[in-house]
Amino acid sequence: MPIALITGASKGFGRAVTHALAERGWTMIVDARGAGELRSATQGLADLTAIAGDVANPDHRSRLAQAVAGGGRLDLLINNASTLGVSPLPQLADYPLGELRTVFETNVIAPLALIQLLAEPLTDAGGTIVNVSSDAAVEAYPGWGGYGSAKAALDQLTNVLGAEEPRLRCYAFDPGDMRTEMHQLAFPGEDISDRPEPQTVVPALLRLLDTRPPSGRYRAADLALSEVTR
Ligand SMILES: NC(=O)c1ccc[n+]([C@@H]2O[C@H](COP(=O)([O-])OP(=O)(O)OC[C@H]3O[C@@H](n4cnc5c(N)ncnc54)[C@H](OP(=O)(O)O)[C@@H]3O)[C@@H](O)[C@H]2O)c1
């Protein structure tokens, strides 16, 4: 059975993807910072190793890599864990630079660090990297400059990685709006009940994994609507 490492599996989109891959019989290694929530989110799932920790912490990333080494192979890495940064979202002119560093550590450096640590087993398996992106990477939404610029960096990192590693598939996956804790943080006090649940986006990701189009940036909305032709 294929093996995946999914970060940020205790809530939102990561949790939905983890449950979908479990239904397909995947073996998984997953994380999130909150140990209790991670345990309850993954309770009852077979062939799953849950390791609580922060992706921005090098020791935690080493523990994830050790777990992968124990499994002997890696077919899929989903860099899903991410931080929005400061909420309410500040204008760039006011963005606290220390907070911005944390956003880049979590959303850019940590995904690349995991890719570097896991490059060998991923390449040996002819595997897939999914870096979860955002429309904020490409749209100039006021207030979204910190998070959006980090996701833009993640996109370009994915883009170059795809050119450098022809044996891998490297995807930046833009899920679109989802009704999650992170989305609520972006719109504090607002009713976000019109946003789709994260599990409704999972079929688009599964389609990407199943069809394995060339490396690149893919939007869930496009994957859901049309044949993958890139
Ligand atoms: N929701 C949207 O509308 C939307 C739109 C575009 C893109 N996205 C992207 O979709 C992905 C999933 O977001 P979501 O909305 O599902 O978020 P979410 O519901 O807030 O879930 C985030 C998950 O990541 C974990 N996490 C956060 N920081 C972490 C860290 N430093 N180390 C390890 N785990 C961490 C969280 O658990 P802990 O807090 O316990 O660590 C949780 O399991 C993110 O990459 C996000 O940028 C979301």
Side-chain angles (χ1 to χ4, degrees), residues 70-88:
R73 60 180 285 141
L74 188 65
D75 300 279
L76 172 64
L77 166 63
I78 303 183
N79 279 310
N80 167 74
S82 183
T83 181
L84 179 74
V86 180
S87 170

Side-chain angles (χ1 to χ4, degrees), residues 8-14 31-34 53-56 80-82 106 132-134 147 151 174-178 180-183:
S10 68
K11 297 175 216 165
F13 186 60
D31 83 349
R33 289 164 303 177
D54 187 331
V55 290
N80 167 74
S82 183
T106 306
V132 181
S133 183
S134 167
Y147 170 88
K151 290 293 189 182
D174 174 358
D177 285 358
M178 298 178 290
T180 67
E181 271 188 37
M182 180 187 285
H183 198 86

Side-chain angles (χ1 to χ4, degrees), residues 5 7 29-31 51 60-68 114:
L5 170 57
T7 64
I29 299 155
V30 299
D31 83 349
I51 302 173
H60 171 62
R61 294 195 297 257
S62 295
R63 282 197 295 280
L64 293 175
Q66 279 164 19
V68 168
L114 276 176

Side-chain angles (χ1 to χ4, degrees), residues 150-162 172:
K151 290 293 189 182
L154 184 66
D155 275 9
Q156 180 62 350
L157 186 152
T158 312
N159 201 17
V160 173
L161 207 61

Side-chain angles (χ1 to χ4, degrees), residues 94-105:
D94 304 319
Y95 211 108
L97 297 182
E99 299 287 348
L100 189 61
R101 280 191 192 94
T102 303
V103 171
F104 273 75
E105 278 291 338

